[in-house]
Amino acid sequence: MKYLLNAFLRLIVKIALHGYFKKIKVEGTENIPKNVPIILVANHQNALVDPLLLATHTSLNPYFLTRASVFKNPIAAKLLDLIRMLPVYRVRDGFSTIQQNQKTFDQTFEVLRKNGTVIIFAEGSHSLIRNLRPLSKGFTRMAFGLKEKYPDKNPVILPVAMDYSAHRRSGSKVRITFDRPIPVDMPASKSGLLTKSVEKALSELVVTIPIGNYESDLERLIENEVDLTSKKEVELFLKTGEVPNPVRTHGGLKNKLMKIFHFPLYFLWLWKSPSVKDKVFDSTWKFLIGFVFAPIWYFSLFWLALDTPLGSWALAFLIMAWISLWGNKNPQE
C-alpha cells in the first residue's frame, strides 16, 4: 500500500512540475545503470524542487537524505517518510544527535543492498549561485560502508547536474543532466580519489559562472540571451562572446496573465512571501501552493460553471486559467 501511495504521489507531482515549469529537459538517461546500487550525487540550487524533479524524472524511485530538522513535526515526518526521505543530523542539531546518523546509514545500506538508489546533495547546503561548491564526504562514507557491510555489492556513483533558467520563477526552464557512472573500485583508504573524481565529473556538468565577476557576467549572459541551463553555451559566451543559439527573451506578460486567472493562489504567495527569509525556498513555496490549492481552485470554478448563474463566466475563467498556465513563461534571471 505504501509503495502504491508513493507511486501515485510521484505521478501527480510530476504532472504538477510540468505545470510549474515551462520546460523540463532531461539528458543522459542512457548513463543510468541497471541492477546495481546507485548513489546519485547532485548539486543543490533549488531546495525541495531539486529532489522532487529527480524523484519524478527517472524510473529509479530513489530515497533521499535531508536535514533532520524538517522531521521535528510528526505529521511532516510521516509525509517525508512516504516520499522516501531519510534524516541526516548535523552538529547544529545538537552534538548528541550525530550518533543517530548511523541508523540513517544502516537504512541506506539496506536500500542499496537491494540495488536501490539513494540521492545525496553533496554540497551540504543549497544556493542560488550558479557554480559547484566543495563536496562533503557523506557519499564516500556511504559507498565504502556498503562495501564493508556487503562485500559482494559494487555500488556506483552517478553524478547529475541540475541547472535552472530562473530558480525562483514559474514558467522557466530546468535541465537535468546525468553523467556516466563512476565505479567505487578503490579501497576505502583512497576515498579522497573518489571525492575528486566525482567533483571533476560534476564540475564538467554544472553551469559555472566564476565568482570573481559573477553579477556582471550573469547580467551579460541574460542581456545576450544565452541559455543559462546550458554549460556549453555559457562557457562559449564567457570565452568568445558568441551566442549560437540565443534564447528568446520573454517580457513576463504571459506570467502576469497566469497570475490574474489564478489570483487566489497568487494572493496566498503574496501573503506567504514576506516570511520566506531564504529566497532559495521561493520556488518550493510557489510549487507547494499550486500543488495543494490549484485543484481546489479549478474544482470551485467547475462547480460554479455547472450549478450557478455564473456558469458561463466561471467556465470561461476556468478555460483561461488552464490556457494561461500552459502558456506561462518567465524571463531568465
Side-chain angles (χ1 to χ4, degrees):
M1 184 63 181
K2 185 177 179 180
Y3 177 83
L4 290 176
L5 285 173
N6 179 271
F8 175 72
L9 186 59
R10 284 192 295 120
L11 175 61
I12 61 175
V13 167
K14 183 175 184 178
I15 293 171
L17 285 168
H18 279 274
Y20 183 82
F21 288 104
K22 182 61 183 176
K23 186 174 184 180
I24 300 174
K25 189 167 186 177
V26 183
E27 299 177 331
T29 53
E30 69 277 4
N31 292 321
I32 300 175
K34 297 180 179 179
N35 301 318
V36 295
I38 299 174
I39 301 172
L40 196 157
V41 179
N43 63 316
H44 199 16
Q45 295 184 1
N46 213 346
L48 183 62
V49 174
D50 286 342
L52 291 180
L53 282 164
L54 291 176
T56 55
H57 285 78
T58 71
S59 57
L60 294 174
N61 198 11
Y63 284 75
F64 303 89
L65 298 183
T66 190
R67 66 184 193 277
S69 59
V70 298
F71 286 80
K72 289 182 178 179
N73 184 297
I75 297 176
K78 289 185 179 297
L79 289 174
L80 292 170
D81 178 65
L82 182 61
I83 59 176
R84 301 190 170 201
M85 287 196 170
L86 302 172
V88 174
Y89 296 88
R90 300 170 294 180
V91 174
R92 71 185 68 174
D93 299 316
F95 188 78
S96 61
T97 65
I98 299 299
Q99 295 180 352
Q100 297 182 49
N101 281 333
Q102 187 57 49
K103 179 181 177 182
T104 297
F105 273 98
D106 288 341
Q107 288 178 285
T108 64
F109 294 154
E110 290 307 305
V111 170
L112 295 169
R113 181 180 67 82
K114 300 173 184 177
N115 292 335
T117 300
V118 176
I119 294 177
I120 183 168
F121 296 100
E123 292 170 303
S125 61
H126 50 233
S127 172
L128 295 174
I129 303 299
R130 289 179 170 90
N131 56 42
L132 182 69
R133 288 162 288 131
L135 305 186
S136 63
K137 299 178 181 179
F139 68 93
T140 62
R141 178 184 171 188
M142 189 185 302
F144 291 115
L146 177 71
K147 288 173 70 71
E148 180 181 358
K149 189 170 184 178
Y150 300 107
D152 60 319
K153 287 297 176 182
N154 296 298
V156 298
I157 309 297
L158 184 62
V160 58
M162 308 189 70
D163 296 295
Y164 298 84
S165 66
H167 298 88
R168 299 166 54 198
R169 294 176 172 177
S170 63
S172 56
K173 177 183 176 182
V174 56
R175 187 189 302 264
I176 305 170
T177 310
F178 293 90
D179 199 8
R180 292 182 297 274
I182 299 173
V184 185
D185 55 3
M186 69 282 289
S189 59
K190 302 290 185 180
S191 63
L193 293 177
L194 181 60
T195 302
K196 290 180 180 178
S197 295
V198 176
E199 279 189 333
K200 182 176 184 296
L202 278 174
S203 68
E204 293 174 354
L205 294 179
V206 176
V207 169
T208 301
I209 302 176
I211 288 294
N213 299 301
Y214 186 88
E215 295 298 335
S216 59
D217 283 343
L218 178 59
E219 185 176 348
R220 289 194 304 122
L221 287 161
I222 294 173
E223 287 178 352
N224 287 274
E225 301 181 335
V226 180
D227 184 355
L228 292 178
T229 72
S230 171
K231 184 175 181 65
K232 180 180 178 181
E233 299 283 323
V234 169
E235 287 188 344
L236 180 64
F237 176 80
L238 292 178
K239 288 179 180 178
T240 68
E242 296 180 24
V243 188
N245 302 296
V247 176
R248 188 159 63 94
T249 300
H250 305 293
L253 176 60
K254 293 182 177 180
N255 179 256
K256 290 180 174 63
L257 288 174
M258 188 273 295
K259 290 174 180 176
I260 290 172
F261 290 104
H262 293 81
F263 69 89
L265 281 67
Y266 183 50
F267 175 80
L268 285 173
W269 165 242
L270 292 177
W271 171 77
K272 177 62 183 177
S273 178
S275 67
V276 182
K277 304 304 181 185
D278 187 347
K279 295 306 177 183
V280 180
F281 283 93
D282 278 4
S283 265
T284 294
W285 278 105
K286 289 178 181 178
F287 175 76
L288 290 176
I289 288 171
F291 183 73
V292 174
F293 294 102
I296 298 173
W297 174 233
Y298 296 151
F299 178 81
S300 299
L301 289 174
F302 185 70
W303 174 78
L304 288 171
L306 288 179
D307 204 36
T308 73
L310 298 174
S312 57
W313 286 99
L315 181 60
F317 214 91
L318 176 61
I319 293 172
M320 287 304 300
W322 286 340
I323 292 174
S324 66
L325 182 66
W326 176 78
N328 181 30
K329 291 182 180 179
N330 249 320
Q332 298 193 112
E333 68 172 9

